[in-house]
Amino acid sequence: MPTEILIQLRKTMTFFCPQCENPVRLKIGQVMIPHFAHIVLSDCLTSFSERESPIHLKGKLQLAEFFKEKSLEVFVESYMPDICQRPDILVKSPHQAYAIEFQCCTIPIEVRDLRSRGYLKSNIEPVWILRSFEYPEVPPNGIVIIQLTHFRQAFIQHDDFGDASIIAYNPNTEQFIYYSHLIHLQGTRFIAKIGMLPRHLQSFPFRQLKPLTSLEGKVYWGIFQRYRKRFLTNAVLTSKKGVKDPFLRICYFNQLQPIELPLFIGVPLGTVEHINGRHADWQLAFIHMCMEQGIQFQDISNEQIEVFLLQNLRENKFKLARELCLSYLHILKQLSLKVNSSLLKQKVPEEKLLEIFLQLIVAKRTEY
């Protein structure tokens, strides 16, 4: 609404909070977007909403306009008394209702999950959109190493083919940002393909991401191999566990320096936040288990995979961890490797491994 109309409304009308029903004041300043504020602080502010920043207000209004442009019913800050929640935007289509949450600040993940369960209880699908990350060194579109805080990692979504991504929105540029095809390196570091889409070109429901091209897959491979080499070179010096480090113990047992490990140890596959250690850590542990038990890769059973995962599982992500193991097992079978005492000293041409890696991350994934 134009400022003149808002000023007139403020002079002639009284306003009340739809949640706590206490009086609110219409504030019209020169800096912040016009908004309502409680005249007297109430429990309403601490129930299911946090104080909004100017960037959150701006983004929320832009997103509301976006959904209206899609010919959907849109309700901003619509209070839902049955679950005592108020989504940023409630969107209704003929077949489905969506609770859109534009998250600009860090909140406890438990609060996020509580809100999502409340929406689902009312047959409303929650859609969480993060505020865009600020990376001045990142090109507008490209494949780079980014850092994702543990809070942001909690918003990683996996599509039908196992690809991991996060969707965000930048109110300043009015663009949706996709941090897609995430491959976990270590801690908060990920390789990601960053893509930007202007608001007017975005569809809803959000489309499934396209697979990487062969050229993009090679860029991923190159970035990861540089990271892998640096990690293996410094593995002894940077280990915090010393002689108790399982990775170093297996290397020592096989009379190998970490940098001497074959290329099929440490293949970049998906995210590893649900398995202990880096890619090289868990893959070497998997190989070592097969060597100790004399299990050929083509003979390994689902039960043996489950036993390995139970010993190496981190958090409660069994399904995703199992998919990761199956992808790696597929690579080992493709390489026609034989499990014997010299397995870790076998040399595999990088071109062959790259070819198989590209098949996994470029082509759509299938059940093996």
Side-chain angles (χ1 to χ4, degrees):
M1 291 185 178
T3 302
E4 296 76 16
I5 294 179
L6 291 176
I7 293 174
Q8 185 62 29
L9 287 174
R10 186 170 61 180
K11 292 178 180 179
T12 59
M13 299 186 69
T14 303
F15 304 97
F16 298 89
C17 172
Q19 178 166 310
C20 67
E21 299 183 354
N22 286 320
V24 292
R25 180 183 293 110
L26 176 54
K27 304 184 75 173
I28 310 169
Q30 298 297 317
V31 179
M32 294 184 65
I33 295 174
H35 62 282
F36 293 102
H38 287 78
I39 295 175
V40 178
L41 292 179
S42 70
D43 292 339
C44 175
L45 288 175
T46 59
S47 57
F48 280 99
S49 64
E50 56 275 344
R51 294 181 184 275
E52 294 183 278
S53 64
I55 195 70
H56 183 257
L57 285 167
K58 185 177 180 180
K60 184 170 63 176
L61 293 176
Q62 289 178 7
L63 289 171
E65 287 299 318
F66 162 75
F67 290 110
K68 288 179 182 177
E69 292 165 358
K70 304 302 176 186
S71 301
L72 300 169
E73 286 189 87
V74 178
F75 306 89
V76 178
E77 292 286 348
S78 178
Y79 181 58
M80 304 170 63
D82 55 329
I83 57 174
C84 301
Q85 291 181 224
R86 183 173 52 199
D88 286 335
I89 308 166
L90 181 64
V91 177
K92 293 184 178 180
S93 71
H95 308 291
Q96 179 66 57
Y98 303 88
I100 312 299
E101 293 284 9
F102 180 47
Q103 196 61 41
C104 291
C105 64
T106 301
I107 60 173
I109 297 303
E110 295 78 11
V111 173
R112 190 274 310 262
D113 294 341
L114 181 64
R115 293 184 188 179
S116 293
R117 287 195 296 270
Y119 297 137
L120 292 171
K121 183 180 178 181
S122 298
N123 296 317
I124 298 173
E125 183 176 334
V127 178
W128 293 84
I129 302 174
L130 295 184
R131 179 190 172 185
S132 59
F133 316 155
E134 302 301 332
Y135 291 113
E137 73 279 8
V138 172
N141 292 275
I143 298 170
V144 291
I145 293 179
I146 64 172
Q147 288 194 320
L148 297 178
T149 64
H150 293 294
F151 172 73
R152 287 170 175 166
Q153 289 181 39
F155 291 85
I156 294 176
Q157 300 292 321
H158 293 82
D159 65 16
D160 295 340
F161 305 108
D163 286 320
S165 63
I166 295 177
I167 186 170
Y169 182 73
N170 187 338
N172 294 326
T173 61
E174 299 189 34
Q175 290 180 317
F176 287 89
I177 298 93
Y178 288 89
Y179 303 88
S180 65
H181 304 284
L182 296 167
I183 287 184
H184 192 199
L185 294 176
Q186 173 189 4
T188 60
R189 293 184 179 182
F190 288 74
I191 307 176
K193 177 185 176 183
I194 301 179
M196 301 186 184
L197 190 64
R199 192 178 85 185
H200 69 277
L201 295 179
Q202 177 68 61
S203 61
F204 187 81
F206 301 129
R207 295 173 182 168
Q208 190 155 270
L209 296 171
K210 294 180 179 179
L212 294 171
T213 66
S214 180
L215 181 59
E216 290 170 334
K218 291 178 180 178
V219 174
Y220 267 76
W221 179 263
I223 292 175
F224 189 85
Q225 289 308 313
R226 289 191 291 273
Y227 167 83
R228 176 185 181 275
K229 182 178 181 180
R230 186 165 61 249
F231 158 65
L232 294 179
T233 301
N234 299 321
V236 176
L237 297 176
T238 59
S239 175
K240 296 179 181 180
K241 299 179 181 178
V243 294
K244 295 183 179 180
D245 189 319
F247 176 81
L248 296 180
R249 287 179 68 87
I250 295 175
C251 290
Y252 177 78
F253 180 80
N254 288 276
Q255 298 181 346
L256 286 170
Q257 292 291 332
I259 194 61
E260 296 174 332
L261 288 172
L263 281 177
F264 58 82
I265 302 293
V267 181
L269 293 170
T271 56
V272 292
E273 77 274 11
H274 37 270
I275 292 186
N276 282 322
R278 306 170 182 85
H279 294 280
D281 290 307
W282 76 263
Q283 290 173 16
L284 180 60
F286 183 79
I287 294 284
H288 185 63
M289 178 199 73
C290 293
M291 292 175 64
E292 277 195 321
Q293 300 181 25
I295 309 169
Q296 296 298 328
F297 299 129
Q298 65 271 17
D299 299 328
I300 194 167
S301 65
N302 290 329
E303 291 75 16
Q304 288 166 326
I305 292 176
E306 290 179 8
V307 169
F308 170 77
L309 290 177
L310 290 174
Q311 294 172 346
N312 294 274
L313 195 64
R314 181 180 180 183
E315 302 177 0
N316 189 23
K317 300 285 182 98
F318 185 84
K319 181 180 178 181
L320 293 174
R322 184 176 181 275
E323 291 175 357
L324 207 61
C325 251
L326 290 175
S327 294
Y328 185 52
L329 190 59
H330 175 70
I331 289 178
L332 297 175
K333 291 178 181 178
Q334 289 281 89
L335 293 172
S336 301
L337 295 169
K338 300 296 181 183
V339 176
N340 53 43
S341 58
S342 63
L343 175 60
L344 292 178
K345 296 179 182 179
Q346 295 185 35
K347 300 300 180 182
V348 174
E350 182 173 356
E351 296 76 16
K352 178 62 176 177
L353 193 53
L354 173 59
E355 178 186 346
I356 297 173
F357 170 71
L358 293 179
Q359 290 175 5
L360 279 176
I361 69 168
V362 172
K364 290 188 175 181
R365 301 185 180 209
T366 57
E367 290 295 326
Y368 305 124

